[in-house]
Amino acid sequence: MDKRVVRSIFLWTLVSYSMMVSAEEPVLPSGLENLSPEPDVPMGLGESALPSGLDYGNLEPDLPAGLDDAAEFEGDNLSGQDWTVDGFAELRSGLWVDQHRYQKSRPLNEARLQIELEKEYSGFTVAVTADFIYDDVAADRTVALERGQGWLDLRAANIVFSPADFMDVRLGRQTLTWGTGDLVFINDLFAKDWNAFLVGRNVEYLKAPSDALKVSLFHEIANLDLIYMPRFDADRYIDGSRAAYFNSILGRITGTDAITKVDRPNDLFHDDEFSLRLYKNIGAYELALYGYDGFWKSPGGADTVTGDALFPDLTAYGASVRGPVFNGIANMEWGYYDSREDRDGHDLMINNSEQRLILGYEQELATNLTLGLQYYLERMEDYGDYRRALPAGMSAAHRSRHEYTARLTWLTMNQNLIWSLFTFYSPSDDDGYLRANLRYKYDDHLSVEAGGNLFWGDDEYTFLGQFQNNDNVYTALKYGF
Amino acid sequence: MRIFRQIATLLLPLFFLLPLMASAVPTVDEIVQRSNMTTYYQGQDGRVQVEMMITDSQGRERQRRLTILRIDEAKSDVVEGQAYQGGQKFYVYFHRPADVSKMAFLVWKHLEQDDDRWLYLPALDLVKRIAATDKRTSFVGSDFFYEDVSGRRLDEDNHELVETTNSYYVIKNTPKDLAGVEFSYYTMFIHKQSYIPVQVEYYDKAGVKYRVAKALGVKTIQGYPTVTKASIDNLKIGSKTVMEYTDVEYDIGLDDALFTERYLRKAPRQQLR
């Protein structure tokens, strides 16, 4: 054979071989090595250099530090054998930016321990969440579970079961939410805690629990949620005891000097509430119809004789759609509030009926930076009757309240530092509200938070302008377990 | 004669190698398709418990524990004709840490359009639609991206077989559109027998390697070669995430209805166990 032929073969072999043992190549995990039909592992791919766990003789990879204590993962499984316990301890404290004469010394100053228990039995699950609170600001520490007053706030106490394949039932104290708005609600007529929202508690406290029976039915045609609340669960509304507001009876901003007295519908099975939602997904679009029968959730009228605030009868119905549009998520929600005690709008002391509308859009602007925008409309029915009923000299509300909201969320430091800004602005009322929050997760348990609530308005009597004496800043320290 | 010899000199080695190459080396497309199937589509559905350890550049550790359920639209694992490909649905349930405990995350992954994502916040009973479309965003604060967990569309990159070693097909993947990604290309070391990508190296726009994904442990489960431990190192930042997969099960007969709002609000305990 020609010398050059031999040399070429040699060269080819060498090149091919050197490619096989390329220094950049990762070593074979040992389980894969055994899958190889080739008997010989080439140089550099020897057993000792293989990552562990890929060898059939050693299937268990070494645990990294911090995970090597297997017991650590056993307490929180869903085995159904024991109560699972979660919760947190939190200190939260705030200051008024400019204290009003009739205000408590601080917006909040409290220690809170939340215990969340859950146990699974065959066929049903029991859940109890209780907050134990030392509230330095509260005037009254006796417990009133429905009003959320006192040293105990029972957030949940319910059982969940499925009596049939197509049915889920949740019975007891529970938090309820539906609808498409972001911090703006139309067809979600479940109880809200506006005090918690305005004075700087965590946003999850905006939702107050309801005592309810929720039955959910699932079918290909559509799904149906039916909710019955045997006794009216009002909002934890602004009453002056903590946040000051515009008192329409007195015609000025009031606080602790004139805490709202209410005549609250309170008869079990008589003053009840009923909610329903019929919903269906068509592709990526979520469609829903809503209905509600009950009462205005925050005071929506006043008794001319006693001056007590009232929760007039309310029937509401509406619809929503949500789904992808352009590069984001768009939503539209509409509702009609039928104020049954003042259908023709003559009664100045009872809210008129209203149309409400939300148009929203949210999009990721950049990695970990999201912008959400909403337009919100409240439009009074029978505006002419309202104007005619209005005594001379009393300032009239606009027929339409237009509001815009913007939410900016920015996650930094591996999503451990969360910047959040939410702004409400109404061009028709010339008022606004800015919610700012900064949260840092120090580790898996400990987080710190700082934020503020700022209000402004040309007039004292507009929806957001009435809160202009409640500007506050707060900090919180939370340990989760 | 001399010319014949010279030609022979050139061609002879090829005669030795050609039959080898023909039998051993599948096409680039076949390699990436098989690897994609093995990594993301094995079985018609599946469940896995994930334990995640995130170590930041200062050595601080954060832990995540979650369960992932998956169902495929395509009821096939056949790679030929890409029969295995299709949309997928994922249900992610968070156990730990405390601040995300009991949250549930639902993803409908589509091949031709943006994914649909929902997040359920139990304290508010809120089903939130997530607008995020960027798939190269950190998954739960880890070094894994959404795309690492649910897969990257093969037609977003040009694939090139740059090397075949004894154990690996080395594939260089160059994105067709550089705008949506932070890398200029990435190299995959795909194990020849199992098609598991044992190592994936990402290079930035300056050509510097800055991110390495590794399979650290493999088990054959129900006949499927399965990565049971994986890591991602961010070489630029100095952070690292290790994911361990336990209780892996395939073809458990999950119901498509599980991947809906109903089970966001009411966790499917039987399936999460």
Side-chain angles (χ1 to χ4, degrees):
Chain A
M1 219 193 260
D2 192 293
K3 237 166 80 182
R4 276 177 293 183
V5 176
V6 176
R7 217 191 296 172
S8 299
I9 293 171
F10 179 70
L11 260 173
W12 267 98
T13 315
L14 192 69
V15 168
S16 311
Y17 199 77
S18 68
M19 276 167 72
M20 290 178 199
V21 294
S22 157
E24 295 293 322
E25 182 186 336
V27 286
L28 250 191
S30 52
L32 293 180
E33 180 231 319
N34 280 16
L35 291 171
S36 166
E38 296 149 51
D40 292 321
V41 180
M43 265 194 316
L45 288 180
E47 186 93 27
S48 59
L50 295 180
S52 68
L54 285 175
D55 178 2
Y56 277 165
N58 176 23
L59 288 172
E60 276 261 310
D62 288 333
L63 286 162
L67 288 179
D68 48 6
D69 183 10
E72 208 174 316
F73 289 110
E74 279 168 10
D76 52 75
N77 60 22
L78 292 165
S79 66
Q81 298 305 305
D82 290 302
W83 288 94
T84 63
V85 183
D86 293 281
F88 62 82
E90 184 189 72
L91 295 171
R92 191 171 282 265
S93 190
L95 290 171
W96 300 115
V97 171
D98 189 10
Q99 195 183 344
H100 184 249
R101 200 170 137 204
Y102 298 115
Q103 248 165 356
K104 291 288 179 62
S105 58
R106 311 176 76 155
L108 82 172
N109 192 28
E110 62 193 24
R112 182 182 293 265
L113 174 69
Q114 179 172 92
I115 301 289
E116 188 180 343
L117 301 169
E118 202 172 88
K119 182 162 176 161
E120 199 191 338
Y121 296 90
S122 60
F124 64 100
T125 305
V126 178
V128 177
T129 304
D131 279 21
F132 302 91
I133 306 148
Y134 175 76
D135 185 340
D136 192 39
V137 180
D140 191 348
R141 298 206 180 91
T142 54
V143 175
L145 288 181
E146 290 200 8
R147 276 177 283 153
Q149 176 197 297
W151 57 267
L152 173 68
D153 186 6
L154 191 62
R155 307 294 302 175
N158 60 62
I159 66 167
V160 181
F161 56 100
S162 297
D165 278 356
F166 57 86
M167 186 192 286
D168 291 341
V169 175
R170 188 183 291 266
L171 175 64
R173 177 159 281 224
Q174 55 191 295
T175 301
L176 294 160
T177 298
W178 63 36
T180 64
D182 185 6
L183 302 185
V184 178
F185 305 92
I186 295 178
N187 293 296
D188 180 330
L189 282 156
F190 306 111
K192 321 278 187 312
D193 186 342
W194 296 110
N195 286 293
F197 189 64
L198 300 189
V199 302
R201 292 207 182 97
N202 189 305
V203 74
E204 74 179 62
Y205 288 94
L206 169 59
K207 280 299 199 157
S210 305
D211 297 313
L213 167 68
K214 180 181 181 185
V215 177
S216 302
L217 302 165
F218 302 93
H219 193 274
E220 277 174 26
I221 297 170
N223 306 312
L224 181 65
D225 283 334
L226 299 164
I227 296 171
Y228 180 69
M229 284 154 277
R231 177 161 43 205
F232 173 54
D233 279 311
D235 287 344
R236 296 173 181 182
Y237 50 88
I238 305 295
D239 65 357
S241 62
R242 197 164 299 222
Y245 75 111
F246 184 79
N247 186 319
S248 54
I249 303 287
L250 298 176
R252 62 178 175 87
I253 289 178
T254 59
T256 49
D257 56 321
I259 292 172
T260 314
K261 278 177 37 206
V262 296
D263 183 1
R264 179 185 176 122
N266 214 22
D267 288 348
L268 195 65
F269 300 117
H270 180 259
D271 295 324
D272 51 5
E273 294 175 275
F274 185 78
S275 276
L276 69 82
R277 174 177 67 139
L278 188 69
Y279 67 103
K280 181 183 181 60
N281 281 17
I282 296 178
Y285 295 88
E286 301 162 273
L287 310 175
L289 297 172
Y290 308 87
Y292 171 78
D293 190 53
F295 307 88
W296 287 85
K297 303 291 290 192
S298 286
D303 187 316
T304 43
V305 180
T306 63
D308 286 354
L310 300 175
F311 301 86
D313 292 346
L314 176 69
T315 300
Y317 43 87
S320 73
V321 57
R322 178 167 69 176
V325 171
F326 304 117
N327 292 316
I329 300 294
N331 63 289
M332 181 163 73
E333 184 168 341
W334 164 83
Y336 182 75
Y337 281 26
D338 178 4
S339 191
R340 298 201 317 272
E341 293 180 35
D342 185 23
R343 277 209 161 118
D344 47 17
H346 294 324
D347 190 344
L348 189 66
M349 303 306 280
I350 305 288
N351 281 1
N352 278 21
S353 298
E354 284 177 15
Q355 306 265 354
R356 295 192 177 194
L357 177 72
I358 299 171
L359 301 173
Y361 180 71
E362 189 173 282
Q363 190 189 316
E364 189 175 36
L365 296 180
T367 301
N368 291 320
L369 179 67
T370 309
L371 176 69
L373 299 170
Q374 294 180 114
Y375 165 74
Y376 173 60
L377 171 71
E378 289 177 2
R379 186 172 169 83
M380 195 190 291
E381 299 284 285
D382 308 308
Y383 188 66
D385 294 302
Y386 161 80
R387 288 300 292 261
R388 277 189 287 279
L390 201 70
M394 220 172 133
S395 42
H398 295 292
R399 172 164 199 178
S400 295
R401 174 178 164 77
H402 303 274
E403 190 174 271
Y404 295 92
T405 77
R407 176 193 282 279
L408 204 56
T409 309
W410 187 30
L411 309 178
T412 58
M413 295 177 71
N414 297 327
Q415 306 180 350
N416 290 313
L417 183 63
I418 300 146
W419 307 72
S420 169
L421 197 64
F422 197 105
T423 318
F424 299 83
Y425 168 67
S426 169
S428 51
D429 279 2
D430 244 319
D431 60 2
Y433 171 25
L434 187 146
R435 290 171 60 82
N437 183 279
L438 181 61
R439 180 166 169 234
Y440 177 63
K441 300 181 193 177
Y442 177 78
D443 61 22
D444 284 342
H445 299 288
L446 198 64
S447 63
V448 288
E449 206 181 305
N453 294 282
L454 301 174
F455 307 86
W456 67 93
D458 269 7
D459 299 303
E460 287 188 334
Y461 56 84
T462 59
F463 183 68
L464 295 170
Q466 65 177 318
F467 300 126
Q468 56 192 267
N469 289 314
N470 295 310
D471 290 354
N472 63 79
V473 290
Y474 60 88
T475 61
L477 182 69
K478 184 172 176 179
Y479 184 88
F481 54 85
Chain B
M1 276 311 278
R2 272 183 66 189
I3 283 172
F4 175 76
R5 258 193 209 168
Q6 281 173 342
I7 291 170
T9 307
L10 284 169
L11 292 182
L12 201 59
L14 284 177
F15 282 108
F16 285 100
L17 287 167
L18 268 177
L20 272 175
M21 285 165 75
S23 67
V25 182
T27 63
V28 179
D29 188 56
E30 201 181 334
I31 296 167
V32 295
Q33 293 286 356
R34 282 200 181 281
S35 179
N36 190 37
M37 198 286 284
T38 304
T39 314
Y40 298 108
Y41 287 92
Q42 288 186 134
Q44 265 65 83
D45 61 40
R47 164 184 43 210
V48 59
Q49 310 282 354
V50 180
E51 276 163 21
M52 200 189 279
M53 178 62 81
I54 306 161
T55 310
D56 70 15
S57 54
Q58 286 148 52
R60 276 184 303 193
E61 292 178 335
R62 288 166 205 268
Q63 203 171 289
R64 306 276 180 271
R65 186 165 168 270
L66 40 124
T67 305
I68 302 179
L69 305 175
R70 185 204 88 211
I71 193 166
D72 295 356
E73 256 166 34
K75 299 296 168 207
S76 166
D77 275 1
V78 175
V79 173
E80 285 72 31
Q82 299 170 28
Y84 74 95
Q85 272 200 7
Q88 290 180 306
K89 292 174 182 173
F90 298 90
Y91 181 102
V92 181
Y93 185 85
F94 294 93
H95 304 274
R96 279 280 172 266
D99 69 331
V100 295
S101 168
K102 293 179 183 147
M103 284 189 192
F105 182 54
L106 179 64
V107 180
W108 291 1
K109 175 185 149 190
H110 308 289
L111 290 188
E112 302 301 329
Q113 69 206 63
D114 281 335
D115 298 349
D116 296 306
R117 301 180 190 173
W118 292 264
L119 181 67
Y120 176 64
L121 306 171
L124 284 160
D125 186 42
L126 177 66
V127 176
K128 190 173 157 46
R129 193 81 182 246
I130 306 289
T133 48
D134 187 354
K135 293 175 188 174
R136 299 198 67 78
T137 303
S138 162
F139 177 65
V140 297
S142 74
D143 294 291
F144 283 77
F145 290 148
Y146 281 92
E147 210 167 65
D148 298 314
V149 180
S150 67
R152 176 173 169 80
R153 266 171 46 188
L154 292 179
D155 61 9
E156 288 184 87
D157 302 317
N158 290 312
H159 312 279
E160 187 190 343
L161 179 64
V162 291
E163 206 178 326
T164 301
T165 76
N166 215 28
S167 304
Y168 301 109
Y169 301 118
V170 185
I171 306 276
K172 183 179 174 182
N173 309 272
T174 313
K176 291 174 185 171
D177 180 12
L178 278 167
V181 294
E182 83 290 356
F183 55 81
S184 62
Y185 69 93
Y186 62 100
T187 306
M188 298 171 91
F189 290 83
I190 295 172
H191 185 244
K192 282 162 87 173
Q193 280 72 43
S194 67
Y195 287 94
I196 284 176
V198 170
Q199 191 155 313
V200 186
E201 299 168 350
Y202 294 82
Y203 293 82
D204 67 12
K205 315 254 153 145
V208 178
K209 181 163 79 178
Y210 68 96
R211 187 170 188 262
V212 181
K214 287 179 192 164
L216 300 173
V218 174
K219 263 188 203 175
T220 299
I221 296 167
Q222 294 169 249
Y224 300 111
T226 304
V227 174
T228 53
K229 188 175 178 182
S231 70
I232 290 189
D233 279 274
N234 188 322
L235 307 177
K236 238 174 218 169
I237 295 167
S239 59
K240 179 192 181 94
T241 299
V242 177
M243 276 220 225
E244 287 196 68
Y245 308 93
T246 53
D247 300 326
V248 182
E249 259 192 280
Y250 294 101
D251 299 319
I252 43 183
L254 293 179
D255 189 344
D256 198 50
L258 214 70
F259 300 83
T260 60
E261 181 181 329
R262 177 181 186 179
Y263 291 98
L264 281 176
R265 291 182 189 265
K266 178 180 177 283
R269 275 150 217 295
Q270 297 294 329
Q271 284 74 20
L272 295 175
R273 191 170 291 159

